């Protein structure tokens, strides 16, 4: 695995680099956001690890540049000591694929990296368009429309809606969503899922006649035909 590590704390960077090299991975280091961004644009990596608070450009800005402006598909794991719900939502909204709070154990970091690379290497899309009522999600063009109106979603909102549609007519729990949308197999202890469900509802329900996502109290969420 070819890893780009963007981390300004020398001790943390050395710890991660040493651990990954022992596992046989190739690690390129950058110690500020601007240098990391330039490296990410010049070379191809299997995964990018970035801190949030850094000189030159912070990790949020790096993610936005890579995912939104340059359309880089490389998975990004964000590392930071900032771990409130708002911090996590901001990181994921910027384009990060996963979020790991400091301090962390190396085995946990490695498990997250492996999960992200597996997900990136497997195409699970067996159909092109997912539909319910007058809502359509195109897996190829990454477009969402309802009643012929285009709806702009962030990458994480799109993945969440895709997962709910692929499990149409079945209640999915918050734990299932964490495992399959965020590739996190433990409870974050936050209301990130609820926050994102609300984001989705505002975009795909507010201006339309019928509701799409239903809450099943104590169980999770469901999209019904």
């Amino acid at each position: 695995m070819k890893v780009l590590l963007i981390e300004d704390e020398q001790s943390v960077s050395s710890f991660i680099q040493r651990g990954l090299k022992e596992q046989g991975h190739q690690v390129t280091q950058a110690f500020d956001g601007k240098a990391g961004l330039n490296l990410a644009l010049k070379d191809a990596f299997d995964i990018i690890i970035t801190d949030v608070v850094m000189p030159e450009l912070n990790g949020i800005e790096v993610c936005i540049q890579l995912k939104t402006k340059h359309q880089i598909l490389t998975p990004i794991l964000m590392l930071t000591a900032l771990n409130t719900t708002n911090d996590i939502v901001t990181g994921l909204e910027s384009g990060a694929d996963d979020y790991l709070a400091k301090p962390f154990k190396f085995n946990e970091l490695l498990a997250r990296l492996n999960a992200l690379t597996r997900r990136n290497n497997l195409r699970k899309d067996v159909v092109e368009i997912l539909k319910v009522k007058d809502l359509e999600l195109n897996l190829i063009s990454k477009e969402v429309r309802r009643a012929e109106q285009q709806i702009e979603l962030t990458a994480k909102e799109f993945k969440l809606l895709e997962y709910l549609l692929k499990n149409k007519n079945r209640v999915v729990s918050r734990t299932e969503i964490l495992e399959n949308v965020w590739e996190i197999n433990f409870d974050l202890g936050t209301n990130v899922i609820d926050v994102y469900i609300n984001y989705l509802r505002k975009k795909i329900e507010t201006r339309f006649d019928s509701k799409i996502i239903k809450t099943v109290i104590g169980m999770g969420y469901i999209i019904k035909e």
Side-chain angles (χ1 to χ4, degrees):
M1 183 164 59
K2 191 175 180 181
V3 181
L4 172 59
L5 173 60
I6 313 171
E7 169 63 69
D8 66 315
E9 291 185 51
Q10 295 279 349
S11 59
V12 176
S13 185
S14 296
F15 165 71
I16 295 172
Q17 182 198 42
R18 184 170 59 253
L20 289 176
K21 283 190 171 182
E22 287 175 356
Q23 295 292 319
H25 303 303
Q26 180 182 343
V27 182
T28 300
Q29 290 174 285
F31 298 99
D32 65 70
K34 186 176 181 180
L37 176 62
N38 289 336
L39 285 169
L41 295 176
K42 287 178 182 178
D43 202 354
F45 294 92
D46 296 309
I47 200 157
I48 297 169
I49 304 171
T50 182
D51 191 16
V52 172
V53 181
M54 295 184 296
E56 301 292 340
L57 290 175
N58 64 42
I60 301 296
E61 293 166 332
V62 170
C63 283
I64 292 172
Q65 287 282 323
L66 291 175
K67 294 288 190 174
T68 303
K69 182 177 179 180
H70 297 284
Q71 301 293 306
I72 299 296
L73 300 179
T74 307
I76 298 176
L77 173 65
M78 188 169 281
L79 300 176
T80 182
L82 307 174
N83 59 357
T84 67
T85 297
N86 287 338
D87 295 323
I88 295 172
V89 169
T90 299
L92 297 173
E93 283 289 287
S94 71
D97 296 275
D98 201 355
Y99 194 104
L100 184 59
K102 298 177 181 177
F104 55 85
K105 294 182 179 179
F106 180 77
N107 285 343
E108 181 181 3
L109 171 67
L110 190 62
R112 298 288 190 92
L113 296 179
N114 288 336
L116 285 174
T117 51
R118 282 197 305 270
R119 186 175 69 187
N120 196 49
N121 291 334
L122 293 175
R123 265 194 78 84
K124 299 178 182 177
D125 304 342
V126 295
V127 295
E128 182 176 340
I129 296 177
L130 301 174
K131 297 181 180 180
V132 65
K133 298 183 179 178
D134 55 352
L135 176 74
E136 293 187 356
L137 180 148
N138 191 308
L139 293 166
I140 306 302
S141 66
K142 303 300 182 184
E143 292 180 332
V144 175
R145 293 180 178 275
R146 184 164 190 198
E148 300 302 320
Q149 297 181 41
Q150 186 162 337
I151 299 171
E152 298 295 331
L153 299 182
T154 66
K156 196 59 67 177
E157 289 167 353
F158 185 95
K159 289 180 181 178
L160 175 57
L161 180 59
E162 177 185 347
Y163 183 71
L164 291 172
L165 286 170
K166 284 183 174 179
N167 290 275
K168 191 168 51 179
N169 299 319
R170 184 177 77 84
V171 177
V172 292
S173 68
R174 289 173 176 81
T175 300
E176 287 180 272
I177 293 172
L178 280 173
E179 290 177 350
N180 292 278
V181 178
W182 275 271
E183 293 285 345
I184 297 172
N185 59 4
F186 61 92
D187 189 350
L188 281 174
T190 71
N191 62 341
V192 168
I193 303 301
D194 302 317
V195 169
Y196 271 84
I197 290 290
N198 286 333
Y199 286 165
L200 265 184
R201 282 175 167 156
K202 287 178 182 178
K203 292 184 177 182
I204 68 173
E205 294 181 350
T206 302
R207 296 178 287 112
F208 302 95
D209 295 332
S210 60
K211 304 298 183 184
I212 296 288
I213 304 171
K214 298 184 183 297
T215 300
V216 181
I217 296 174
M219 297 179 68
Y221 301 97
I222 186 172
I223 287 180
K224 287 186 176 181
E225 285 283 9

